[in-house]
Amino acid sequence: GTADVIVSTTEMLTKVFTAVVTGVVLATTSIVVAAAGCARPSAPPDTVRVAVASPPESLDPRFATSAVATRLAALVAAPLVAIGPDLRPHPLVAASFEHPDPLTFVVKLRQGLLFPDGNAVSARDVRFSLLSIKDPSIASPHASKLAHVKDVVVVDDGTVRIELDAPSPALPVDLNAYGVVEERACSSSPAACRDMPMGIGPYFVEHALDRNERLVLRRNASFARAFALPTTNGIDRIDVRVVRDGTTRLFLLEDGRIDFVGGDLLPTD
């Protein structure tokens, strides 16, 4: 019979969005939040400053493998489905995700989603995002997860049909890891979106990782509007710095120069 993954309620979407923004994305093996005992240097109230132990190898979800990279990539390129607080997949970029038979999934996209360049997210972008992972010339490390995907058919601008060559009931869970990127911006070469992907997510890359090992993400207001979430009074900017030494990361946290630490802080630090 048909197994529908129901459309998320506003409450569920809010929880998923909040989890992505405040917790899921910024840790490698741990997240430490502390209130410094000394006076903090002034920082804009809409900015979160984060120190991570290593630079992300890519912000394109098709290539991200490390914990830092995959979680930051999820902020700039959200997936069709997200794992909710109930540990089940719920539509995110998708509006609905249906499974009419063992070899078919039908995905309808959420309306009103725009890439940071202003272009609307379409079924063609979903097709490109998934099939490029399987393309040997792209050499995505995630290709094996989509081994049973035979084709992704564009039904109309807002609908795709995922065709399988064998049953894959875990596919909705696997798709949680692969965000949607724009075909027009990312199709010219495998490296086109490696550091500054044009994805659909709650944030976009305002400043790519530079020689000082710093990158900046900015809130994508159109993403919040599509989910009827607040577009103000939140975290508008995420300033990420690579600080390789654990003791230095802890010092910066205690001194109030960063707000979060993502990395392998030890109990002795």
Side-chain angles (χ1 to χ4, degrees):
T2 300
D4 295 332
V5 179
I6 62 171
V7 177
S8 301
T9 62
T10 300
E11 180 182 6
M12 176 67 74
L13 286 171
T14 302
K15 288 179 179 178
V16 171
F17 183 86
T18 301
V20 169
V21 171
T22 61
V24 176
V25 174
L26 301 176
T28 50
T29 59
S30 65
I31 287 239
V32 179
V33 183
C38 57
R40 288 173 175 260
S42 60
D46 61 354
T47 298
V48 169
R49 301 161 300 174
V50 183
V52 297
S54 59
E57 67 280 357
S58 175
L59 295 185
D60 186 329
R62 300 173 298 165
F63 302 104
T65 55
S66 69
V68 168
T70 54
R71 289 171 173 87
L72 289 175
L75 277 183
V76 299
L80 291 171
V81 297
I83 304 302
D86 59 356
L87 303 182
R88 295 174 60 86
H90 292 264
L92 189 60
V93 171
S96 65
F97 203 97
E98 300 178 352
H99 191 24
D101 63 69
L103 299 181
T104 307
F105 287 91
V106 178
V107 182
K108 291 188 178 296
L109 301 181
R110 191 171 298 277
Q111 295 183 349
L113 289 175
L114 301 176
F115 290 110
D117 62 6
N119 292 322
V121 178
S122 75
R124 289 182 58 87
D125 299 306
V126 175
R127 183 178 193 276
F128 168 77
S129 299
L130 297 181
L131 291 186
S132 62
I133 293 175
K134 292 173 57 68
D135 185 348
S137 68
I138 293 293
S140 168
H142 306 297
S144 62
K145 285 289 189 178
L146 301 181
H148 290 305
V149 175
K150 181 175 65 175
D151 199 4
V152 179
V153 178
V154 174
V155 178
D156 56 43
D157 284 347
T159 309
V160 296
R161 184 175 66 250
I162 301 175
E163 299 178 349
L164 310 177
D165 61 13
S168 182
L171 182 65
V173 175
D174 291 338
L175 290 179
N176 169 69
Y178 312 124
V180 177
V181 295
E182 186 181 21
E183 179 182 26
R184 186 170 76 170
C186 300
S187 60
S188 59
S189 75
C193 285
R194 185 174 292 274
D195 298 318
M196 208 164 180
M198 186 60 66
I200 175 59
Y203 291 83
F204 64 91
V205 182
E206 181 179 63
H207 181 78
L209 189 70
D210 59 24
R211 65 179 61 187
N212 294 318
E213 296 194 312
R214 179 182 175 188
L215 67 90
V216 177
L217 306 183
R218 177 73 67 175
R219 182 203 291 257
N220 179 5
S222 70
F223 188 91
R225 284 194 294 267
F227 290 94
L229 296 172
T231 57
T232 59
N233 301 322
I235 301 171
D236 288 334
R237 189 171 181 267
I238 301 176
D239 190 341
V240 182
R241 296 174 53 190
V242 178
V243 182
R244 298 174 186 272
D245 180 69
T247 301
T248 302
R249 293 195 301 275
L250 183 59
F251 171 76
L252 292 173
L253 179 67
E254 291 177 335
D255 196 46
R257 284 184 277 175
I258 59 172
D259 305 302
F260 288 87
V261 168
D264 51 350
L265 285 179
L266 301 176
T268 53
D269 286 335

